[in-house]
Amino acid sequence: MLERLTLDCAGHRLPLDRPLIMGVLNVTPDSFSDGGRFAGRESAIAHACRLVADGADIIDVGGESTRPGAEPVPLDEELERVIPVIAALHTEVDVAVSVDTSKPEVMRAAVAAGAGMINDVNGLRAPGAMDVAAGSGAAVCVMHMQGSPRSMQKQPQYRDVVAEVVAFLSGQTEALLARGVASDRIVLDPGFGFGKTLEHNIALFRGLSALAALGYPVLVGVSRKSLIGSLLGNRPVTDRLMGSVAAAMLAAHAGASILRVHDVRETADSLAILAALGEQGIGEA
């Protein structure tokens, strides 16, 4: 059961009495989901404003693709992609802005530009990342990933994927707390699709309650991922909307506090209907 009532995003407090929607904003030329449609500053800002109008509570800005097989992006290039967009969104939108990065230097610059959340797919394992995140004042989303984006889908193996993911995230959480990070700044992400087979992803999804039982907000990001495509008979990325929304609703009922999605309006509409017509209110699962 979630004990924290709000998430502190560098002073921007988000209520956790309902699932929050994190809208994905990829400012990369090689994103798996949108093919670089929003890589330009103006198009990125315009898209972020649309996501907010559609119901996004958080905008997650990423400048380095983390799709399977992706190559690393040089530091200067990532900074050039994300910092101007984050600085503009800090004044353009009235929601929290998150930076999706694993580089401590980008974390530091993004928070200085107005980001209220750090979303690290590498789980703060890069040298210096833990200390930068801890000292930032921003919310910190710690994700589990086996390997790196370049190699993570090459025969990932676990003895017990749920137990191992919970153990890793618990350890990183303890390290953050030891550095003085308040518990209301911490978010956990099991990392669907990051070093997991289809079977691992299914087991993790069914084990979400074990992660939620740790007492921290859980972020679930399965939108348009191969998990959805595989379960629908190898559907292409462009035909995974309904599957993505259905999975998001199931995640919310399993205790997820944040849903990271590309299709914000459809997710918001589905949450509204589920909250109104479901047997129990979303957030009480």
Side-chain angles (χ1 to χ4, degrees):
M1 181 65 68
L2 184 65
E3 301 173 354
R4 291 151 188 81
L5 299 179
T6 62
L7 177 65
D8 184 4
C9 297
H12 187 147
R13 289 195 169 270
L14 300 179
L16 295 172
D17 57 343
R18 61 172 178 82
L20 302 175
I21 298 176
M22 172 184 276
V24 177
L25 180 59
N26 293 315
V27 289
T28 59
D30 56 348
S31 166
F32 89 96
S33 62
D34 52 44
R37 290 171 56 204
F38 312 113
R41 179 178 177 274
E42 295 305 319
S43 61
I45 294 169
H47 184 58
C49 290
R50 285 193 295 272
L51 294 177
V52 172
D54 286 344
D57 302 289
I58 307 168
I59 300 297
D60 192 38
V61 183
E64 181 176 47
S65 176
T66 52
R67 74 189 191 286
E71 295 289 340
V73 172
L75 171 61
D76 290 346
E77 186 173 346
E78 188 176 348
L79 287 168
E80 185 177 346
R81 290 177 182 179
V82 302
I83 300 306
V85 173
I86 290 172
L89 292 180
H90 182 58
T91 59
E92 289 278 344
V93 299
D94 189 26
V95 301
V97 178
S98 169
V99 61
D100 180 357
T101 187
S102 297
K103 296 184 179 70
E105 300 89 345
V106 178
M107 296 176 188
R108 185 182 294 109
V111 172
M117 186 173 184
I118 294 168
N119 182 19
D120 184 3
V121 301
N122 196 39
L124 303 175
R125 292 180 297 171
M130 181 75 70
D131 290 327
V132 169
S136 68
V140 183
C141 182
V142 184
M143 197 193 84
H144 176 275
M145 174 173 59
Q146 188 179 95
S148 67
R150 187 174 182 179
S151 63
M152 62 188 179
Q153 291 307 103
K154 296 180 179 179
Q155 298 182 321
Q157 296 182 8
Y158 301 85
R159 291 185 177 179
D160 183 331
V161 65
V162 176
E164 291 176 48
V165 168
V166 168
F168 171 79
L169 294 177
S170 295
Q172 295 301 87
T173 297
E174 292 302 317
L176 284 170
L177 294 173
R179 286 168 168 77
V181 178
S183 61
D184 64 355
R185 288 175 50 201
I186 300 173
V187 177
L188 306 179
D189 180 351
F192 290 101
F194 285 81
K196 284 98 177 173
T197 64
L198 175 62
E199 291 72 22
H200 294 146
N201 285 319
I202 291 173
L204 263 183
F205 205 97
R206 292 174 176 168
L208 276 175
S209 58
L211 187 53
L214 294 177
Y216 296 91
V218 174
L219 184 151
V220 169
V222 294
S223 178
R224 302 185 186 177
K225 287 186 176 178
S226 60
L227 163 65
I228 305 300
S230 295
L231 292 175
L232 295 176
N234 296 319
R235 292 273 185 90
V237 172
T238 54
D239 196 16
R240 298 175 184 173
L241 169 60
M242 298 306 295
S244 296
V245 173
M249 297 308 99
L250 289 170
H253 257 310
S257 296
I258 304 174
L259 305 173
R260 185 179 184 274
V261 304
H262 301 85
D263 304 292
V264 169
R265 175 177 292 182
E266 293 83 353
T267 303
D269 286 351
S270 297
L271 284 172
I273 296 300
L274 200 55
L277 302 181
E279 292 183 2
Q280 61 179 13
I282 297 297
E284 298 174 7

